[in-house]
Amino acid sequence: MKFQGTRDELNAILSGLGVQCHWQHKGPFEMAVIEDGESNLRLNWWPDSGEIQLVGDPAQRLPLIQRLEPLLP
């Protein structure tokens, strides 16, 4: 997955999906720590390349990927 917008725009997409998170700067990438109280999901985003990786338990990760991908321009 790729996203070439801003962190605020990506955060708005996540919020529109009902995903609550907080962001941490991790050197070359930004990490959204998803706060759902049941998973360990993290969204890693490299602004320079636009690359997105969603990591964590597949039972929570795969459904979120399916909901997120169609919303990414």
Side-chain angles (χ1 to χ4, degrees):
M1 288 187 293
K2 290 202 179 242
F3 179 73
Q4 297 293 342
T6 67
R7 190 177 88 175
D8 287 341
E9 292 168 333
L10 183 54
N11 194 54
I13 292 170
L14 292 171
S15 293
L17 291 173
V19 175
Q20 299 295 318
C21 63
H22 69 273
W23 289 89
Q24 298 178 359
H25 180 70
K26 296 290 184 178
F29 70 97
E30 303 289 329
M31 180 173 66
V33 178
I34 298 180
E35 301 166 339
D36 62 5
E38 59 188 59
S39 72
N40 62 346
L41 291 178
R42 306 284 188 265
L43 183 144
N44 298 326
W45 174 56
W46 286 261
D48 290 344
S49 69
E51 185 69 30
I52 290 177
Q53 287 182 345
L54 195 58
V55 295
D57 184 353
Q60 285 91 25
R61 178 173 40 95
L62 297 177
L64 182 54
I65 288 172
Q66 291 173 341
R67 293 174 44 219
L68 179 61
E69 274 186 317
L71 300 177
L72 299 176

